[in-house]
Amino acid sequence: MSRRFALKAFGGSAIAGLSLGPFSHAIAAPVFRTYPFQLGVASGEPEPDGFVIWTRLAPEPFEIGYGMPSAAVEVEWQVGADERMQEVVAWGTALARPELGHSVHVEVGGLQPARPYWYRFVAGRERSAIGRSKTAPALGQPTEQMRFAIAGCQNYEQGYYTAHRHLAREEPDFVFCYGDYIYEGRGNRFRNRRDGPVETVRQHFGDEIYSLDDYRRRYAQYKMDVDLQAAHAAAPWFMTWDDHEIDNNWAANLDQDDTPPVAFDLRRQMAMQAYYENMPLRPSALPVGPAMQLYRQARFGDLLDLNLLDTRQYRTNQPCGDRWVENCEEIESRDAEMLGRRQESWLAEKLRGTSSRWQVLAQQVMMMDLDRTPGEGHNQNTDSWAGYRTPRERILQQIRDAGLKSAIILTGDEHQNYAGQVHLDGKRPLAEPIANEFVSTSISSGGDGEDQRERTKGIQEENPASLKWHNSQRGYVLCDVSPTQWVTEFKTLNRVTERGGTIGTRKRMMVEQSVPSSLNET
């Protein structure tokens, strides 16, 4: 096929030449005018014998069609036992299909447990960067140590991703992303704060996102950030979402603008497809209409069960008009759902059947029972578990009934660091909490922040049995887990509104295995 014919047939795309290969109607040897791996590489979903590796071909990320033809393209993948890829231990060919944004999701198997591997992709004469991944320990294998990171809430307009560059250097066993990977709002030159308007650090491309092309471009803008690419290339990620991957504070088929549910379902369907296209998820997570299977469990030797939850897709609407109001009676009176009964039953089964030393609920919104109004009155964040007291009580009772004393809850969303203890009733706590909760701050959302907010100091004084420590800077969290101890290290940056922020450890908190009341600074 001549180059002239190729350009005519595919509308002058970034592919300048091609040949047909063994896959029917697939382009086997493309020649790109522009580097096709603009969005980097990633891995995820580690298991003892493998993991998922991901990339997406997008030589012109902001164009409609992102510079690719309406045809499948062959992509070679390789997994190596060394970082220079001199010993390739697994390889194959995948199709980057236009129906899925020319993304590639390869489930690699047949590898050895509990060791690092490296991987890359090849399309035509172009090679991707080399990524590092790691397999999980074999199920039941005695495991003496694991280290993983927690990250999320990375509003592109409000700060640089310096935290991701530092996270990459940690080379954790895996990263848990609790959500708000993108933000859906329109591009703005400035944002209004109580002390006046401030310039945005960098600006979103385009208006608020609704269509599949909109969401693809927004993911492209985020994933072109080289610091984020470095973090993805350093370790496998477990992805979950919160609200901004679709729309602020969405719940099931309801949004904050009173859009008819049938119309919002169309937006959810497009947002979910773009989410799948851009994340290192297994093909089993491929959305079907406006539904996507994201709750799942990962097990690490005999040390850790990671229960990844979805607190958006199955919840009932937020009470009291989704507003923070004092003494919201609707919280106590309504028949609410947060996880939905099917996910909740699944979780209860996993908790009853565990034999690991630590049981983790990796999810999105705070479970600590906090009164957010110091002094008289009672105020709660109705978009958190506080607005869903009945299902919250059921989950905590499941932990207690299963006799689990090493439950850890991992959370995001708040744009602050928190360490605390989870009681059925924060105002009338028992001597021993049901679980400990660590809330990770944001990567960039909220800007530079400050060490501690005055208001949050008052909230901690109001809730001494629950909230033990807080901080309002940007960063990420590292968890070092052994059979006898869980240590959470809060890593914070001095600034994100300028490049070159320095990282430091703001606080370490430790919990002894099977002693939930032992949360202390270390």
Side-chain angles (χ1 to χ4, degrees):
M1 184 178 290
S2 70
R3 180 178 181 274
R4 180 180 179 185
F5 181 82
L7 290 174
K8 181 179 179 181
F10 298 112
S13 73
I15 293 181
L18 58 88
S19 64
L20 296 180
F23 292 104
S24 178
H25 308 299
I27 301 171
V31 178
F32 295 90
R33 285 198 295 267
T34 306
Y35 186 61
F37 298 107
Q38 298 276 343
L39 309 186
V41 300
S43 71
E45 306 296 308
E47 290 191 348
D49 68 338
F51 37 74
V52 174
I53 57 175
W54 168 94
T55 194
R56 183 173 161 233
L57 304 179
E60 301 291 347
F62 290 144
E63 289 185 3
I64 299 296
Y66 44 91
M68 290 294 292
S70 298
V73 175
E74 288 187 32
V75 178
E76 181 184 350
W77 58 270
Q78 303 167 350
V79 174
D82 64 287
E83 61 185 340
R84 298 179 66 183
M85 300 294 291
Q86 292 181 328
E87 183 186 354
V88 175
V89 297
W91 62 92
T93 302
L95 283 184
R97 296 185 178 276
E99 297 92 339
L100 290 174
H102 288 94
S103 60
V104 174
H105 301 74
V106 178
E107 293 182 289
V108 181
L111 304 180
Q112 296 299 311
R115 61 147 294 170
Y117 287 92
W118 290 261
Y119 63 93
R120 69 182 172 200
F121 298 89
V122 179
R125 293 178 290 185
E126 304 282 358
R127 288 185 176 184
S128 73
I130 295 174
R132 175 188 177 274
S133 195
K134 190 174 183 181
T135 50
L139 186 61
Q141 173 185 337
T143 303
E144 294 302 314
Q145 191 72 35
M146 290 199 69
R147 190 179 216 209
F148 68 92
I150 308 169
C153 287
Q154 49 189 39
N155 192 317
Y156 186 86
E157 292 197 330
Q158 294 179 12
Y160 293 107
Y161 293 166
T162 314
H164 276 308
R165 180 66 65 169
H166 290 289
L167 188 158
R169 297 186 182 117
E170 309 276 3
E171 292 193 345
D173 294 321
F174 65 85
V175 177
F176 162 53
C177 179
Y178 58 75
D180 288 348
Y181 190 96
I182 62 167
Y183 281 68
E184 79 285 10
R186 70 183 179 186
N188 286 299
R189 184 179 62 84
F190 64 89
R191 60 190 178 104
N192 291 311
R193 300 194 315 187
R194 293 178 181 176
D195 57 349
V198 295
E199 294 277 353
T200 54
V201 174
R202 46 190 181 173
Q203 194 167 327
H204 280 146
F205 177 87
D207 208 333
E208 182 166 348
I209 52 179
Y210 290 91
S211 71
L212 179 56
D213 285 323
D214 289 342
Y215 281 101
R216 282 174 172 167
R217 280 193 293 263
R218 186 60 53 86
Y219 277 107
Q221 185 168 26
Y222 278 59
K223 295 183 83 70
M224 288 172 70
D225 184 283
V226 292
D227 294 330
L228 178 56
Q229 288 188 17
H232 272 299
W237 286 42
F238 286 102
M239 308 301 309
T240 60
W241 59 25
D242 194 18
D243 52 340
H244 290 290
E245 287 86 354
I246 298 179
D247 186 46
N248 181 54
N249 283 13
W250 70 280
N253 61 356
L254 303 172
D255 72 355
Q256 62 180 351
D257 302 317
D258 295 323
T259 302
V262 66
F264 185 56
D265 275 345
L266 295 174
R267 184 180 185 183
R268 286 202 302 157
Q269 182 173 342
M270 290 179 281
M272 289 178 185
Q273 177 171 337
Y275 183 78
Y276 176 80
E277 290 175 355
N278 287 281
M279 298 300 159
L281 292 165
R282 296 189 181 279
S284 59
L286 183 68
V288 178
M292 192 171 181
Q293 178 64 46
L294 277 184
Y295 66 85
R296 59 211 188 273
Q297 185 187 66
R299 304 182 69 183
F300 296 85
D302 67 347
L303 186 63
L304 177 71
D305 286 352
L306 185 72
N307 300 291
L308 295 132
L309 306 182
D310 179 351
T311 60
R312 283 289 165 190
Q313 198 170 178
Y314 313 104
R315 67 159 72 179
T316 51
N317 203 12
Q318 290 88 336
C320 294
D322 193 18
R323 300 188 308 276
W324 290 31
V325 296
E326 288 195 10
N327 306 314
C328 175
E329 296 180 359
E330 189 182 345
I331 291 175
E332 303 290 346
S333 63
R334 69 189 191 131
D335 184 19
E337 296 288 348
M338 176 64 96
L339 303 179
R341 290 305 177 100
R342 184 175 180 180
Q343 182 179 188
E344 196 173 302
S345 297
W346 169 87
L347 177 61
E349 180 181 352
K350 296 300 183 184
L351 294 174
R352 288 193 301 267
T354 184
S355 58
S356 294
R357 294 179 181 271
W358 300 92
Q359 298 78 39
V360 179
L361 274 60
Q363 47 99 58
Q364 294 76 43
V365 290
M366 185 183 286
M367 194 172 277
M368 271 184 279
D369 188 19
L370 300 184
D371 178 1
R372 306 270 183 151
T373 300
E376 296 296 325
H378 190 79
N379 200 332
Q380 293 176 310
N381 177 2
T382 57
D383 189 49
S384 73
W385 282 92
Y388 299 79
R389 295 197 68 85
T390 301
R392 177 185 180 275
E393 182 175 340
R394 288 198 302 264
I395 297 297
L396 296 179
Q397 282 293 157
Q398 289 169 6
I399 295 173
R400 175 174 286 176
D401 293 347
L404 303 178
K405 293 185 177 294
S406 299
I408 301 290
I409 299 167
L410 304 179
T411 303
D413 183 61
E414 298 276 343
H415 304 175
Q416 293 193 72
N417 287 310
Y418 292 93
Q421 298 178 322
V422 180
H423 300 269
L424 276 177
D425 188 336
K427 288 294 186 183
R428 290 175 285 275
L430 300 179
E432 186 173 82
I434 295 174
N436 287 281
E437 183 171 16
F438 300 110
V439 181
S440 176
T441 189
S442 57
I443 290 289
S444 61
S445 301
D448 290 332
E450 58 191 309
D451 184 57
Q452 292 189 328
R453 297 179 187 174
E454 288 300 320
R455 177 174 176 79
T456 312
K457 290 180 183 178
I459 293 173
Q460 182 170 341
E461 293 173 359
E462 186 75 13
N463 301 272
S466 299
L467 184 55
K468 303 301 182 181
W469 178 78
H470 65 95
N471 163 268
S472 185
Q473 293 168 293
R474 309 287 76 81
Y476 56 92
V477 163
L478 287 175
C479 297
D480 283 287
V481 187
S482 75
T484 59
Q485 291 183 341
W486 181 296
V487 178
T488 296
E489 184 176 0
F490 294 91
K491 308 286 283 190
T492 58
L493 286 159
N494 64 332
R495 66 182 185 274
V496 295
T497 56
E498 298 176 0
R499 294 194 184 276
T502 58
I503 197 78
T505 296
R506 178 59 181 84
K507 182 74 71 175
R508 287 188 181 92
M509 303 292 286
M510 187 269 288
V511 179
E512 295 178 20
Q513 201 265 343
S514 295
V515 188
S517 60
S518 63
L519 176 66
N520 281 296
E521 181 179 351
T522 182

